[in-house]
């Protein structure tokens, strides 16, 4: 069987530029669209979910090669929307593992968008209230998804569900790390909201450090994050005290 015609459809070399990646993107999109025609959510929900997650991952990778931050943000937004499509479609009772992947993936996508928006804001320094509102909305979207992920592993009394494997524990720790960071990133002139955000940031950073102390195996790969969180756990009480002083004046 002659395979040359098939082998030449996609490169086996590393993509080095956006143009290289775009060719792979178009190739993958074509076949994912073909797969979507065959697998439907009402009859093959699990297979359909795999396709949609592949679309999300595709946008994650193509965004890496995009140099324009505005376009990067748009690609990350598309990535988030694919995850949100599945979250809207699937019942967590029956598809919990898929929903967890989507909550976490959407949280990462919105976090990436937030970083881009904050970099543009810092470079510009002329952001209007509407732009600040969009930054905070993006931050809240990331927070919502990471919280949904954490809640799926948390019992009613707030304790983590037993029998989590090491990878699940590590991802749970990462989710707390992200939430601590996200609450700290919210921009508001209201000291009451600042106090809430700083308190939430401290809560998640402290949970991260406390759980890392208990869970040695998953924490081995998180030593850099542990160092950051310890610094924040020491720093945030002082910031909280400063805001409280302003409120009492």
């Amino acid at each position: 069987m002659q395979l040359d015609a098939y082998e030449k459809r996609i490169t086996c070399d590393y993509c080095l530029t956006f143009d290289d990646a775009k060719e792979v993107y178009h190739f993958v999109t074509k076949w994912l669209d073909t797969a979507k025609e065959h697998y439907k959510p009402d009859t093959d929900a699990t297979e359909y979910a795999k396709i949609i997650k592949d679309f999300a991952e595709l946008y994650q990778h193509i965004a890496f090669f995009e140099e324009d931050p505005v376009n990067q943000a748009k690609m990350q937004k598309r990535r988030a929307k694919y995850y949100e499509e599945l979250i809207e479609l699937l019942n967590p009772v029956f598809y919990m593992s898929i929903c967890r992947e989507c909550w976490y993936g959407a949280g990462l996508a919105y976090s990436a968008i937030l970083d881009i928006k904050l970099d543009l804001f810092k470079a510009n320094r002329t952001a209007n209230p509407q732009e600040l509102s969009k930054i905070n909305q993006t931050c809240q979207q990331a927070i919502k998804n990471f919280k949904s992920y954490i809640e799926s592993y948390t019992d009613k009394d707030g304790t983590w569900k037993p029998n989590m494997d090491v990878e699940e524990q590590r991802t749970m720790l990462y989710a707390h790390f992200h939430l601590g960071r996200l609450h700290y990133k919210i921009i508001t002139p209201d000291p009451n909201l600042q106090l809430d955000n700083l308190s939430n940031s401290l809560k998640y950073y402290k949970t991260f450090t406390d759980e890392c102390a208990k869970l040695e195996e998953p924490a081995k790969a998180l030593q850099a994050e542990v160092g950051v969180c310890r610094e924040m756990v020491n720093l945030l009480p002082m910031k909280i005290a400063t805001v409280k002083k302003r409120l009492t004046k």
Side-chain angles (χ1 to χ4, degrees):
M1 181 178 178
Q2 293 294 325
L3 299 177
D4 290 354
Y6 296 97
E7 291 174 343
K8 291 178 180 178
R9 290 184 182 181
I10 189 168
T11 180
C12 63
D13 298 325
Y14 288 111
C15 295
L16 300 177
T17 67
F18 181 74
D19 287 337
D20 293 340
K22 190 163 64 172
E23 288 188 19
V24 177
Y25 164 83
H26 287 304
F27 177 85
V28 174
T29 298
K30 173 187 173 183
W31 288 106
L32 288 177
D33 282 335
T34 300
K36 271 184 73 177
E37 293 176 5
H38 180 74
Y39 295 105
K40 301 298 180 183
D42 53 344
T43 56
D44 295 286
T46 301
E47 294 302 319
Y48 180 83
K50 290 178 182 178
I51 296 166
I52 299 303
K53 286 189 294 179
D54 282 344
F55 269 116
E57 187 176 353
L58 180 62
Y59 275 96
Q60 175 189 359
H61 292 310
I62 192 70
F64 173 82
F65 292 93
E66 175 57 67
E67 295 182 0
D68 184 341
V70 175
N71 288 336
Q72 275 185 13
K74 290 178 181 178
M75 292 172 181
Q76 291 289 353
K77 182 71 172 178
R78 290 290 298 275
R79 174 190 174 196
K81 288 300 180 185
Y82 279 115
Y83 286 126
E84 288 173 332
E85 176 189 338
L86 291 179
I87 293 168
E88 184 72 22
L89 175 69
L90 301 176
N91 186 335
V93 174
F94 304 108
Y95 299 97
M96 179 58 81
S97 62
I98 297 175
C99 288
R100 282 171 174 160
E101 286 183 62
C102 293
W103 285 321
Y104 195 81
L108 291 177
Y110 280 114
S111 293
I113 297 169
L114 176 66
D115 289 341
I116 294 168
K117 288 181 180 291
L118 286 173
D119 286 343
L120 292 173
F121 169 67
K122 291 173 184 176
N124 194 0
R125 283 296 181 185
T126 58
N128 57 44
Q130 186 178 7
E131 289 171 333
L132 288 176
S133 176
K134 288 180 179 179
I135 289 173
N136 287 337
Q137 285 174 9
T138 301
C139 195
Q140 291 294 348
Q141 286 290 91
I143 288 171
K144 180 184 76 172
N145 282 288
F146 281 126
K147 285 183 71 175
S148 293
Y149 178 85
I150 286 174
E151 287 166 2
S152 75
Y153 279 109
T154 307
D155 288 325
K156 291 181 179 179
D157 61 358
T159 58
W160 293 12
K161 292 184 182 295
N163 303 321
M164 293 166 58
D165 63 33
V166 172
E167 188 59 37
E168 288 174 314
Q169 291 171 342
R170 185 180 295 116
T171 309
M172 269 287 277
L173 291 169
Y174 264 128
H176 282 79
F177 175 81
H178 286 301
L179 282 170
R181 177 178 175 273
L182 287 163
H183 279 287
Y184 190 73
K185 294 287 185 181
I186 297 173
I187 302 171
T188 176
D190 185 334
N192 287 295
L193 293 177
Q194 289 175 9
L195 185 60
D196 288 342
N197 294 328
L198 291 172
S199 297
N200 281 321
S201 181
L202 177 60
K203 178 182 75 172
Y204 286 110
Y205 277 136
K206 192 171 188 312
T207 300
F208 177 90
T209 55
D210 290 346
E211 293 299 328
C212 279
K214 299 176 189 175
L215 304 170
E216 294 183 4
E217 187 61 30
K220 287 179 181 177
L222 303 174
Q223 292 309 301
E225 289 82 0
V226 169
V228 171
C229 289
R230 283 175 179 165
E231 289 183 12
M232 294 303 291
V233 167
N234 291 328
L235 172 68
L236 283 167
M238 292 184 284
K239 286 186 170 288
I240 290 170
T242 301
V243 175
K244 285 182 176 179
K245 284 182 182 179
R246 286 164 49 200
L247 286 170
T248 56
K249 288 182 180 179

